[in-house]
Amino acid sequence: QSPITNHQSPESASTYATELNNIRVSIQDEMGAIIGLPYEVTIDTMKYQQEIPLDFELRKKVDSIIVAMRYLNSESKLHLYLEPDTRHLSIISAKKYRKGEQMMVQITLQNTSKEMPHASATTEEIAALNELRSIYVSLKDESGTIIAQPYDVVIDVLSYNQTASLEFQLQKDVDEVTVVLQYADVLNDERKVYLQKESSVDIVDISSMQFSQEGYLGASVTYDLALNRLAENEKTFTLRVINLLEQLSFEFIDPESQSRISQVKFTQAKPRRNLSLVVYIPEELDINLLDKAMVFFVAVLDDLEAERYGPDNRMNLTQKEFSELVGGKEQLQLIPRGVPEIELTSTNLGYDIKTGERVEMKATLKNTGTRDLSDIRIIVEPQTDWQEQISPEVVKSLKRQEEREIQILLIPPEKVTPGDYEAKMNAECTVDNRKVEAMEKTIRIHIAAKASLTGSALLVIALVILIAGIAVLSIRLSRR
């Protein structure tokens, strides 16, 4: 920005007018090349002692410029050295802390501009010269995504040396943020800062994305645990499980080393830890506990509090004792489910029949699992053109260890060719959107041709004649 002033003296007013017209101004470098946009600005009229500011955009970076002015049929050039922009915002502090269930960030800014006024400037003029207006502030992560609400905050006016503290709610937990500042003609002033951690009480925050899970008897479930400590010093904490059913065992696992742990250490370089809690469900459990939610807690205690509750990492607390617990804790939930298993068997899976006959068989369906089942479908797949009849085709309900007899009829086609045939037998149902199947069985059938009555009769007659002939011949030989 270059102010143009009409300095024509009053003495020259007798010869020249005190008003100048058609003044053309351009910005050049030391070589005389125009480096300012617009290339030329025309001032139509300029009175005596009048000052008019002009704005140019420099097309190249220089330390000095030449202001070329043409008026009264002459050209005047003024060599100017550019003063650096001394307007500046400083980030005094950046703190991360927890407010209720939300993670918050407080950014404190200070106007540290150092614009030097002229010697006769008043205090008010100095303050006005250095104040910053319409300051926009937002927080981004390393990928450039805004991660705090509000998405941007506007400071209307920030006077010289004045500070302003802004509060943001983090949408994801990070240790560093990029503070984006926009003010005056500074469009994107981005500064990456480390967030200082503050906490009135030294408590480790625990969270689990998979806090509620289901598990089958005889299996295990794994809970992911994200631990975060808002403090800078090094400290060790103890891991505990609270009010978990005694029949269920558990262990804490460090995913990095796959080792079992009972304590966890936090340092300034490592304020976060990711752990796994593995809970083992026994093969047998009281039927009244199945399909019902069990609520328990995981806690992270400092040494003093852990010592007060003893060395065992399993704790059983009353509601009053739990409310007095200071350490960080997270509620978890486990729903034990019985194992769904079915079995379809038959005492005879091999049959020999003749053409024109059919196979009648019995099978036994049994619930061999540890939970009640429903809508079990019996499936029989015979050869092509064979027919099957199943009774019942669907078993509506089958309690644990209960059996049900199934009648199966296999009907071959009328013109079946003698030989060996097979049919497949199975049972299936759906449990928790998962298909459960019995082991498939194979029924083997041998079909023989039916014997002809006429041929059998002729064979018998021929046999009788042969025997009679042998007898007569024997008698005659014996008489001789």
Side-chain angles (χ1 to χ4, degrees), residues 133-184:
R133 294 179 176 271
S134 300
I135 305 168
Y136 290 82
V137 186
S138 59
L139 303 183
K140 295 182 179 181
D141 62 7
E142 57 185 7
S143 67
T145 304
I146 295 178
I147 58 169
Q149 285 188 335
Y151 295 125
D152 59 38
V153 175
V154 181
I155 304 174
D156 294 329
V157 179
L158 191 64
S159 301
Y160 171 68
N161 215 31
Q162 184 182 0
T163 61
S165 294
L166 310 176
E167 188 176 64
F168 296 86
Q169 178 184 325
L170 280 180
Q171 301 302 296
K172 72 173 186 178
D173 194 7
V174 294
D175 292 327
E176 296 177 344
V177 295
T178 299
V179 182
V180 183
L181 305 172
Q182 297 182 24
Y183 57 95

Side-chain angles (χ1 to χ4, degrees), residues 94-108:
K95 301 176 182 179
K96 181 174 70 171
Y97 56 95
R98 182 173 291 277
K99 180 187 286 187
E101 296 298 322
Q102 304 297 332
M103 192 66 71
M104 310 297 293
V105 167
Q106 184 186 72
I107 304 294
T108 302

Side-chain angles (χ1 to χ4, degrees), residues 265-282:
K265 179 184 287 187
F266 294 91
T267 64
Q268 183 177 6
K270 205 167 186 178
R272 286 193 190 85
R273 296 294 301 269
N274 292 317
L275 305 177
S276 297
L277 172 64
V278 183
V279 178
Y280 298 95
I281 308 172

